[in-house]
Amino acid sequence: MTVFSLVLLTYFMVVSGIVYDVIVEPPGIGSTQDPYTGSVKPVVFLPGRVNGQYIIEGLSSGFMFVVGGIGIILMDLALDKNRAKSVKVSYATAGISSVVIAYVMSSLKSQCGLSNGVIVEFYDLGYSHLILWC
Amino acid sequence: MAVTKTEPINGSTTKSSAPPLPSMPLKSDLLSILSLKSLRLKTKQQELLIRVSILCLVYVLAFITRLFSVLRYESMIHEFDPYFNYRTTLFLTQKGFYEFWNWFDSESWYPLGRIIGGTLYPGLMVTAAMMYWGLRFLRFAVHIREVCVLTAPFFASNTTLVAYFFGKEIWDTGAGLVAAVLIAICPGYISRSVAGSYDNEGVAIFALLLTFYLFVKAVNTGSLAWGLASAFGYFYMVSAWGGYVFIINLIPLYVLALLITGRYSMRLYVAYNCMYVLGMLLAMQIRFVGFQHVQSGEHMAAMGVFFLMQVFYFLDWVKHLLNDKKLFEAFLRITVTCAVGVGSIALGVGTASGYISPWSGRFYSLLDPTYAKDHIPIIASVSEHQPTAWSSFMFDFHILLFLFPAGLYFCFKRLSDATIFIVMYGLTSMYFAGVMVRLILVATPAVCLISAIAVSATIKNLTMLLRTKSKVSQTGSTKGTGGGKTSSKAMLDQSQPFQRNGAIALLFGAFYLLSRYAIHCTWVTSEAYSSPSIVLAARGAHGNRVIFDDYREAYYWLRQNTPPDAKVMSWWDYGYQITAMGNRTVIVDNNTWNNTHIATVGRAMSSYEDEAYEIMRSLDVDYVLVVFGGVTGYSSDDINKFLWMVRIGGGVFPVIKEPDYLVNGEYRVDKGAAPKMLNCLMIWNSDLVTSYPHQNHNDLRTYKSIWMYKLSYYRFGELMTEYGKPPGYDRARGVEIGNKDIKLEHLEEAFTTSNWIVRIYKVKPPNNRW
C-alpha cells in the first residue's frame, strides 16, 4: 500500500513535467498585458508551443491525471464483495465522478493549449498561411 | 420468448405477455443465419475466430495509419538521420556485406573522414536489405527506397503482435488484444515509425518488446529454449539501436527486485544466466559496441547481478546440504559480506585503473538532467532532448495517462513475476520519458500494456455485473432456504436494475473514451507526425495546399551544378541530406562525433567575414549552405539556431562569447541588435556605426559583418515579404532587419531557392595580388 502511494506520487511528479520545471525554470504562471487598459492579466497555458508549460499548469494537469486514475481504482474497489453497501456506493460515485471531471478538464485544457499549438498563422499579401511545425 | 423477471412489483412474478409479432420468425431466422452458431462452432472455436480476426484487423490498421505522408506527398525518406541510413542501405545492397562492414567514407567530415563500418548499428540496414533481397528473389522488382520507406510500418504491425503475446503472458488474452489495439495507434510510437521515417527506432522498439517478452516467458517457464531466444532477441536489439543500454540495465534491476522480494527460483537463474552470457557474447560481434559489456560503467550492473545470482545459487546449495539452521545463518552472513566486499573492491579497482570507463555523457545526462545543459551544449541543443512538459505527454498518450495508474493498481493487486516486470518497465521508462521528449517512444509499449490491463480488468468487472444479474435471479428462485439468504438476495434484487443500468452506462462511457482516444490518435498522426520535414506545406487562402520543396531543389542544384569534388560547409543538421541527395562532400554532419570540428564551423559562422574566410580556406571549403526562413516564416532556420552555434563554438574556442550577441540578455536581429550580431556575418554597414552613438565600441573591426547574418540577409532588404510592411521584413522573427545593405567580400551568391529557404554561396579564391 505504501509502495503504491509512493509510486503514484512519483507518477504525479513526472507527468507534471517536474524535470522540465527544474531545467528550463519557467515562471509559475504567465502574464500578458491588456493592450487597451494596461492591466496585467495572468495566462495559465503557455501559448504557441507544444513542449512547454508553466509550473502551475503542469501540476494541475498532473493532478487531473492522477485523480482520473484513482477514480478508476475506486470503481474497482466498489465492486469488492466484502464491503458494506454504503461504502461501495460512495466509492462508485466518487470513482465515476473523478473520471468524468478529470477527462473533461483535460480535454478543455487540450483545446486551449494544444489544438492550435502546432499551427502558426501568418497573414500576408491576402493569403493566410498555416505552417505546421512540431 | 417469454422472459421471466423476479421483481417485487405486486409481490408476484410477471411474465411479459406481449403477443408475438408476426415478423418475429423471419427475424430469428435471419439472425440465426448470421450468428456464429450457424457455423456449428464450439465456443472455444468461436473465441479463436474472433481473436484471430481482431489481430488481423489490428495488423492492417497499424500499417495503414502510418501511410499519411506517402499518400499526401510521395514515397520519400523524411527528416535527416534516415538519409544516412538510406545511403548506407543503398551501399549495402550494391556492394555487399563485406564492403559495407569495412567501409571508410571520405565524403563526410572532410578532411577527417568517417569509419562507417565501425560506427553504426547495422540492424536496420541489414533488415531492410534482407527484405529487399527476399522480394527480389520472389521476382518483385522493387526499388530499395520503397523497402526503406515501408520498413517502419511493417515492423510496427509486428510490434502489435508481440504486444498481444506479451499481454497474454502478463494478464490474459483480453488484455493482450487491448494492448495490441492501443499500441497500433498510439501517437508516441507513430511519431518515430511513420512511413518514410527510416530510422533505428522503427526496428528497435520491435526488438525491445520482443526481448522483454522472450525474457519474461523464460522467467515464467524456466526453459532454456526461451532463454536462448531472449539472448538472440537481445542481439537483434543491440544491432539495431544504442538504446539497448536500457535493456541491459532494466533486466538486472528486475532480477534484483525479484531477489529482494524473495522470488528467487531456478527458473530465474536459468533465464538470466542464459540471456546474460549468451547475449553479451553476441553483442560483442557488433563493432560499434565492441568490448563495452565488460569495460563500460553502464554495463556493470548486469555483471554485478550476474555474480550475485551465482552467490544466491551457492547459498541455496549450501542450505540444501546443511541441515543446521543456525550454522547456515552464520554462513549466510559471512558469505554475503564477503561477496559484497569483493564486488565493491573489484569495481573500485576497475574504475580507478581506468579499465572500466565511466558513464558516457549521453546516458549520464539521463540520470542527472542538469548535466547536459552545463557541460555538453551539443546534446542540450537537440530539440528532441529537451525535458518533457505535460502537454507532450497528453499529446502522445491521451487517455492512457488516466489508465496507467489504474493499471498499476491492478498489477499490484495480482503480483507475479511478470507483473513485477511490467511495473518496473513502466515506472523507469516513464521517468526517462519525463527527462527527454524523445524517450516517450520507449515508454509507449509499457504504458500501452499497463493501460490495457486496466481496460481489460475494468470491462471484465462491468460485464460480470451485467451477467451476475440473471445468474443470481435463477439461484434465488431455486434456493429458497434460509430467511437471511432470501432477504439478502431480495436486497440484491432490488439493486439489480440499478446496477445493471449503471454497468451499461459505464460500458458506454468506456466505449466513448476509447473512441475519443482513437479520434485523437488519428488526428495527431495526420496533422503532426506525417510531415516529411524535407518538404514543407502550408495552406493558401482557399484551403489549397502549398508545397515548399526548397530543400530538394537546393540539393539537386548542388548535385548538377557543382564540380564532383566540391566541399560544402553548412550547419551539421543538413549534412546527411547533402551527402545523400546532393552527393557532395560535407564538413560536418549529423553524426556529431567530433565536437571540435563542429565548433570550428560554429566559430566560422559567428565570426567576421575575414576570420571566417580564413577558417574556410583552412578547411578547403568551396560552397556554403544556409537555411533562411524569413520569407516564408519558417522558424527552424539557421538564424534561430544561431545561438547554439555560438554556444558550441564558444565551448571550444573561448574567443566566442555568447553575451556579445545579445542585447540585455535578449536575442534580436532588428535595429536594436547587438553590434557584434549585426556585424558578424550579418550586417556590414559603416552607416550603422554613426546611427548608434550609444554604442561604446571604438574598434572599427567590431562593425564588420558576422557571417551568418550576412549570408542569411544578403539582398533581403530589397524584398517585400508582407503586405503593408516595409521591405526586408523578416517573417520568422516578425521584425524588420537592422541592416539591409549587405556586401559580401569573399563570397558570391551561387543559388537561392524559389522561396529563399536555402541559400548557397560560392567561396571566391583569394585575390591574385595584394
Side-chain angles (χ1 to χ4, degrees):
Chain A
M1 188 59 206
T2 43
V3 177
F4 183 63
S5 43
L6 270 179
V7 161
L8 266 189
L9 188 68
T10 328
Y11 176 70
F12 165 64
M13 290 190 348
V14 167
V15 164
S16 311
I18 203 170
V19 183
Y20 181 90
D21 294 338
V22 164
I23 294 187
V24 176
E25 288 167 24
I29 196 163
S31 57
T32 58
Q33 220 177 14
D34 193 43
Y36 302 112
T37 60
S39 61
V40 178
K41 294 191 299 190
V43 169
V44 181
F45 300 110
L46 185 70
R49 293 166 51 187
V50 178
N51 196 33
Q53 65 178 35
Y54 296 121
I55 299 184
I56 293 186
E57 173 195 350
L59 288 172
S60 63
S61 309
F63 180 67
M64 280 299 133
F65 297 141
V66 172
V67 160
I70 291 184
I72 301 184
I73 297 175
L74 285 177
M75 272 165 52
D76 177 69
L77 284 176
L79 293 171
D80 194 354
K81 300 268 183 259
N82 301 329
R83 290 175 205 267
K85 189 162 183 303
S86 55
V87 175
K88 278 168 68 171
V89 169
S90 61
Y91 273 174
T93 343
I96 296 170
S97 47
S98 311
V99 176
V100 167
I101 291 176
Y103 177 69
V104 168
M105 293 296 294
S106 300
S107 54
L108 277 179
K109 278 187 221 263
S110 311
Q111 275 163 22
C112 290
L114 275 186
S115 65
N116 287 323
V118 291
I119 302 176
V120 182
E121 282 181 292
F122 291 99
Y123 289 88
D124 87 316
L125 296 169
Y127 301 113
S128 67
H129 286 248
L130 295 160
I131 299 187
L132 247 58
W133 54 279
C134 236
Chain B
M1 48 146 268
V3 175
T4 348
K5 275 190 187 183
T6 48
E7 279 176 1
I9 303 177
N10 305 328
S12 59
T13 59
T14 52
K15 274 191 186 179
S16 69
S17 49
L21 303 161
S23 59
M24 271 313 170
L26 273 174
K27 236 193 203 173
S28 58
D29 274 348
L30 202 65
L31 278 173
S32 66
I33 290 173
L34 289 173
S35 79
L36 291 167
K37 286 205 179 92
S38 69
L39 293 173
R40 290 172 209 270
L41 291 172
K42 296 188 288 223
T43 318
K44 253 201 163 34
Q45 289 172 319
Q46 284 176 21
E47 197 225 346
L48 185 65
L49 180 66
I50 294 179
R51 259 193 293 146
V52 169
S53 50
I54 289 180
L55 279 178
C56 287
L57 285 175
V58 167
Y59 194 88
V60 172
L61 172 71
F63 191 83
I64 59 180
T65 191
R66 288 162 165 81
L67 292 181
F68 274 102
S69 73
V70 173
L71 296 171
R72 273 188 198 146
Y73 305 102
E74 61 182 80
S75 156
M76 67 174 135
I77 312 265
H78 298 184
E79 305 255 326
F80 301 115
D81 281 359
Y83 274 99
F84 171 71
N85 297 331
Y86 173 62
R87 189 169 151 245
T88 48
T89 315
L90 201 59
F91 189 86
L92 172 60
T93 52
Q94 282 168 351
K95 302 265 173 43
F97 190 70
Y98 187 75
E99 290 295 319
F100 168 75
W101 204 230
N102 293 299
W103 186 16
F104 178 82
D105 181 28
S106 45
E107 272 193 39
S108 53
W109 293 91
Y110 186 84
L112 306 164
R114 180 184 168 185
I115 310 171
I116 292 197
T119 56
L120 58 53
Y121 289 104
L124 175 70
M125 296 89 185
V126 172
T127 311
M130 289 273 187
M131 290 200 291
Y132 172 75
W133 283 324
L135 286 172
R136 284 252 152 179
F137 179 74
L138 296 172
R139 302 294 179 257
F140 287 111
V142 292
H143 191 274
I144 182 69
R145 194 189 66 233
E146 318 301 339
V147 175
C148 291
V149 163
L150 294 176
T151 297
F154 175 61
F155 272 89
S157 300
N158 296 342
T159 308
T160 61
L161 286 183
V162 178
Y164 164 69
F165 286 112
F166 203 179
K168 200 164 90 153
E169 189 68 28
I170 296 177
W171 201 256
D172 62 12
T173 53
L177 286 173
V178 179
V181 175
L182 289 179
I183 210 173
I185 51 176
C186 187
Y189 184 26
I190 288 188
S191 62
R192 306 291 298 204
S193 67
V194 279
S197 173
Y198 182 57
D199 210 354
N200 298 48
E201 287 96 348
V203 185
I205 296 297
F206 169 72
L208 181 98
L209 209 55
L210 187 70
T211 311
F212 282 150
Y213 164 63
L214 292 171
F215 184 68
V216 170
K217 190 89 181 173
V219 169
N220 271 347
T221 56
S223 106
L224 201 58
W226 285 109
L228 195 71
S230 71
F232 277 99
Y234 177 63
F235 171 58
Y236 187 44
M237 178 68 192
V238 170
S239 72
W241 196 31
Y244 74 89
V245 176
F246 179 64
I247 297 190
I248 203 64
N249 280 310
L250 179 64
I251 288 190
L253 206 63
Y254 165 62
V255 171
L256 201 62
L258 284 186
L259 292 178
I260 291 177
T261 54
R263 285 172 183 265
Y264 170 78
S265 62
M266 199 58 194
R267 300 173 281 122
L268 181 66
Y269 182 75
V270 167
Y272 183 66
N273 280 337
C274 177
M275 195 216 154
Y276 177 65
V277 172
L278 209 58
M280 183 170 72
L281 287 175
L282 285 172
M284 292 191 196
Q285 309 307 311
I286 310 288
R287 279 169 65 190
F288 196 23
V289 174
F291 288 116
Q292 277 184 13
H293 275 71
V294 289
Q295 276 182 346
S296 155
E298 297 141 10
H299 302 76
M300 285 300 114
M303 191 182 282
V305 170
F306 176 66
F307 286 121
L308 193 64
M309 287 287 277
Q310 313 310 317
V311 169
F312 258 80
Y313 184 76
F314 177 65
L315 286 173
D316 216 28
W317 179 59
V318 167
K319 190 173 183 183
H320 176 69
L321 285 181
L322 280 182
N323 293 324
D324 191 351
K325 206 164 168 49
K326 274 210 202 117
L327 203 60
F328 174 69
E329 268 174 26
F331 180 72
L332 177 73
R333 258 182 278 125
I334 298 174
T335 321
V336 170
T337 357
C338 274
V340 171
V342 166
S344 35
I345 290 176
L347 192 68
V349 165
T351 321
S353 70
Y355 184 71
I356 297 180
S357 56
W359 281 62
S360 71
R362 279 177 67 196
F363 296 114
Y364 186 69
S365 65
L366 288 178
L367 294 180
D368 176 15
T370 55
Y371 179 74
K373 194 166 98 161
D374 300 328
H375 298 267
I376 321 176
I378 238 187
I379 294 181
S381 73
V382 183
S383 67
E384 301 171 313
H385 291 185
Q386 304 308 314
T388 325
W390 79 272
S391 46
S392 296
F393 278 120
M394 183 72 182
F395 204 61
D396 280 340
F397 287 137
H398 205 238
I399 59 164
L400 300 186
L401 286 174
F402 299 115
L403 298 171
F404 186 74
L408 285 178
Y409 160 75
F410 283 112
C411 286
F412 272 95
K413 224 168 106 170
R414 201 212 284 188
L415 270 186
S416 70
D417 288 351
T419 47
I420 292 183
F421 177 77
I422 198 67
V423 165
M424 292 198 64
Y425 176 28
L427 291 174
T428 47
S429 59
M430 275 304 270
Y431 165 69
F432 289 126
V435 172
M436 211 188 256
V437 179
R438 186 181 181 187
L439 294 179
I440 284 186
L441 173 75
V442 176
T444 301
V447 171
C448 286
L449 279 165
I450 295 183
S451 312
I453 292 178
V455 170
S456 178
T458 310
I459 293 193
K460 254 207 175 122
N461 284 342
L462 291 174
T463 45
M464 256 198 310
L465 264 187
L466 279 183
R467 286 176 158 185
T468 50
K469 176 221 167 258
S470 40
K471 232 172 54 172
V472 164
S473 67
Q474 283 166 11
T475 53
S477 53
T478 51
K479 278 197 214 166
T481 57
K485 263 204 174 147
T486 44
S487 62
S488 67
K489 286 280 191 300
M491 263 170 45
L492 268 169
D493 296 340
Q494 265 174 349
S495 56
Q496 285 313 321
F498 176 71
Q499 269 193 353
R500 185 167 191 250
N501 293 338
I504 292 182
L506 285 177
L507 273 180
F508 269 112
F511 178 68
Y512 171 73
L513 276 182
L514 290 171
S515 61
R516 292 298 312 179
Y517 171 70
I519 293 174
H520 169 88
C521 291
T522 319
W523 177 81
V524 164
T525 312
S526 160
E527 293 299 314
Y529 288 142
S530 297
S531 147
S533 70
I534 192 169
V535 170
L536 308 167
R539 216 159 275 152
H542 309 289
N544 56 313
R545 207 172 264 271
V546 177
I547 307 275
F548 300 129
D549 209 358
D550 288 44
Y551 280 104
R552 295 198 293 174
E553 189 186 337
Y555 299 141
Y556 279 114
W557 184 90
L558 267 183
R559 193 189 190 112
Q560 289 165 347
N561 295 296
T562 56
D565 61 348
K567 292 142 201 89
V568 181
M569 179 162 111
S570 70
W571 192 232
W572 58 263
D573 288 2
Y574 316 107
Y576 280 154
Q577 285 180 341
I578 295 176
T579 335
M581 279 195 280
N583 205 23
R584 293 287 174 266
T585 312
V586 288
I587 305 292
V588 289
D589 68 14
N590 306 58
N591 193 28
T592 65
W593 68 270
N594 192 330
N595 196 29
T596 314
H597 217 51
I598 297 183
T600 314
V601 172
R603 180 184 176 185
M605 294 290 191
S606 13
S607 317
Y608 306 131
E609 191 175 352
D610 293 343
E611 292 165 12
Y613 185 65
E614 274 170 32
I615 298 178
M616 283 194 290
R617 294 294 306 161
S618 74
L619 288 175
D620 206 15
V621 173
D622 296 315
Y623 289 90
V624 180
L625 187 145
V626 293
V627 170
F628 172 59
V631 175
T632 47
Y634 176 56
S635 28
S636 305
D637 63 353
D638 281 354
I639 297 211
N640 279 349
K641 292 180 195 164
F642 178 66
L643 276 182
W644 285 111
M645 300 185 196
V646 171
R647 279 177 200 145
I648 295 176
V652 177
F653 302 105
V655 68
I656 310 278
K657 292 188 272 290
E658 190 177 340
D660 285 346
Y661 302 88
L662 304 172
V663 172
N664 297 329
E666 227 184 280
Y667 175 59
R668 295 168 63 173
V669 299
D670 55 1
K671 281 201 162 52
K676 182 140 185 174
M677 178 78 190
L678 292 173
N679 291 332
C680 105
L681 225 62
M682 286 288 199
I683 293 183
W684 158 245
N685 193 350
S686 53
D687 294 341
L688 203 58
V689 175
T690 54
S691 59
Y692 287 93
H694 61 276
Q695 303 293 344
N696 296 327
H697 299 273
N698 300 319
D699 187 4
L700 249 185
R701 260 183 45 112
T702 59
Y703 295 96
K704 286 208 188 137
S705 312
I706 294 225
W707 215 27
M708 173 51 65
Y709 197 107
K710 275 177 103 171
L711 291 181
S712 296
Y713 288 124
Y714 183 67
R715 283 196 312 115
F716 183 60
E718 310 144 14
L719 192 70
M720 173 116 150
T721 53
E722 199 164 315
Y723 187 69
K725 295 278 195 318
Y729 182 75
D730 182 349
R731 289 180 56 200
R733 261 64 54 183
V735 295
E736 185 190 347
I737 59 170
N739 183 19
K740 300 183 190 169
D741 185 21
I742 301 176
K743 292 178 186 30
L744 290 173
E745 205 179 315
H746 300 288
L747 300 166
E748 60 183 7
E749 188 181 1
F751 182 67
T752 299
T753 55
S754 46
N755 294 302
W756 286 58
I757 292 187
V758 183
R759 313 193 65 181
I760 305 181
Y761 294 86
K762 187 172 156 60
V763 176
K764 293 199 281 208
N767 289 327
N768 216 353
R769 296 166 205 281
W770 270 262

